[in-house]
Amino acid sequence: MIGIIDYGMGNLYSVSKALERMNYQYIVTDDKNKLHECKGLILPGVGAFRDAMTILNETELTTFIKNEVAAGKPLLGICLGMQLLFDESEENGQTTGLQFLKGKIVKFPGVTASGEKYKVPHMGWNKLNFHQPESALLQNVEQGHVYFVHSYYAVPEEQDVVLASSSYDVDVPAVVGQGNVYGTQFHPEKSSEIGLSILMNFAGIVEGR
């Protein structure tokens, strides 16, 4: 069973419906005891980094998630949930994240190096470019288009955590992973068969633990 962490800032319905399509058992809860019983965890997220970390800290979910990951439990962060995996974000002032991955979250500048303006947020379908297609999360996944909605993006200190990227003036880490921690900047639950394949691969990682 996969536990979808409900901290009040996630697109819980679409993630849970995607798991239902896979016929995979899941639970949506903020109950740490119930989440502890799950084989894997999904951390969704929609909204601001600072607000999300405030809630996770106040509810002691930050400590819980870190302990579960340290014990070897697979974790998948989605959209804002992926950004929370990094050290810090500049959104609404510097805020410390979960610190699983080294790097920071910064805002799209909205202006190219040549001075041309472009739209922020990055919203819509964009192509994945695989860097590590051998990753368990990307096995048998098509290198096609997925659905993004975000104004901030990750700048990792170590490029080997980037499993796939997309281009939106800058290189955007689209899929990240290190050890038993994974993340997608796009919404796999809204990304048709490609997104479903990635969620199925995560379920496989969970079952293979």
Side-chain angles (χ1 to χ4, degrees), residues 49-50 52-54 56-57 62 66 83-91 93-99:
F49 191 104
R50 179 182 287 272
M53 284 307 306
T54 296
L56 292 176
N57 290 332
T62 295
K66 289 185 175 182
Q83 296 181 2
L84 296 173
L85 303 178
F86 284 86
D87 286 330
E88 62 183 26
S89 173
E90 67 177 26
E91 185 176 6
Q94 182 176 323
T95 304
T96 300
L98 293 171
Q99 299 182 311

Side-chain angles (χ1 to χ4, degrees), residues 3-4 11 15 18 21 44 49 87 105 119-120 131 142 158 167 185 188-190 195 202 205:
I4 302 174
N11 194 354
V15 175
R21 285 183 60 194
F49 191 104
D87 286 330
I105 307 302
K119 183 180 178 181
V120 177
H131 299 273
E142 178 186 349
E158 302 166 346
S167 179
Q185 179 60 75
E189 77 280 8
K190 296 181 179 179
F202 179 69
I205 292 168

Side-chain angles (χ1 to χ4, degrees), residues 31-32 61 65 74 88 102 127 137-138 144 158-159 173 197:
D31 187 314
K32 300 179 191 67
L61 279 167
I65 293 169
E88 62 183 26
K102 293 185 179 300
K127 187 177 181 180
L137 199 64
L138 299 179
E158 302 166 346
Q159 287 302 308
S197 294

Side-chain angles (χ1 to χ4, degrees), residues 11 38 43 55-56 71 86 103 108 124 128 140 154 157 162 164 166 175 178 182 191 196:
N11 194 354
C38 296
L43 179 65
I55 294 171
L56 292 176
F86 284 86
F108 285 109
L128 286 178
N140 301 312
E157 286 186 15
V162 181
S166 290
V175 185
Q178 186 174 70
Y182 300 91
S191 298
L196 196 61

Side-chain angles (χ1 to χ4, degrees), residues 160-178:
D160 60 356
V161 305
V162 181
L163 307 181
S165 65
S166 290
S167 179
Y168 193 67
D169 182 55
V170 297
D171 285 333
V172 177
V175 185
V176 297
Q178 186 174 70

Side-chain angles (χ1 to χ4, degrees), residues 9-20:
M9 292 187 65
N11 194 354
L12 304 175
Y13 176 78
S14 60
V15 175
S16 60
K17 292 302 290 184
L19 293 178
E20 282 182 19

